[in-house]
Amino acid sequence: LAALLAVLAAARALSTCRTLDLEAARRKRIEAVRGQILSKLRLPEPPAEPGPARPLPEEVRALYNSTRELLRQRERQRQP
């Protein structure tokens, strides 16, 4: 048994394979995906963080609320 362990240890020492750093691979993949997204959007770098949100115009808010209410009514009519 000791001889087998010694042979395995020697074989591991001779191996040229490096251990896989999953965190480094994950970071590289995320950067690659970011680069692809920026390329598709034809942006040289990510846009700056947006400032405070502007209030919605009343017409947009009313349209949203009426659409939401209409969908609720349709859902109630479908249920027995």
Side-chain angles (χ1 to χ4, degrees):
L1 182 61
L4 180 61
L5 289 176
V7 170
L8 287 175
R12 181 176 285 189
L14 294 174
S15 174
T16 59
C17 296
R18 295 188 315 223
T19 58
L20 181 62
D21 184 1
L22 293 178
E23 187 60 30
R26 183 177 156 276
R27 283 192 303 266
K28 284 178 101 174
R29 182 67 186 141
I30 289 172
E31 286 304 314
V33 170
R34 279 186 186 147
Q36 290 173 350
I37 292 170
L38 289 173
S39 174
K40 287 284 184 186
L41 295 174
R42 296 184 179 152
L43 294 174
E45 59 187 35
E49 290 293 318
R54 296 180 300 186
L56 285 175
E58 191 55 40
E59 300 85 25
V60 174
R61 187 182 311 274
L63 179 62
Y64 172 79
N65 289 334
S66 64
T67 304
R68 191 172 65 179
E69 185 58 36
L70 178 65
L71 291 173
R72 284 181 184 159
Q73 288 174 359
R74 285 184 183 173
E75 184 64 29
R76 278 187 240 132
Q77 291 174 354
R78 266 195 280 165
Q79 294 176 351

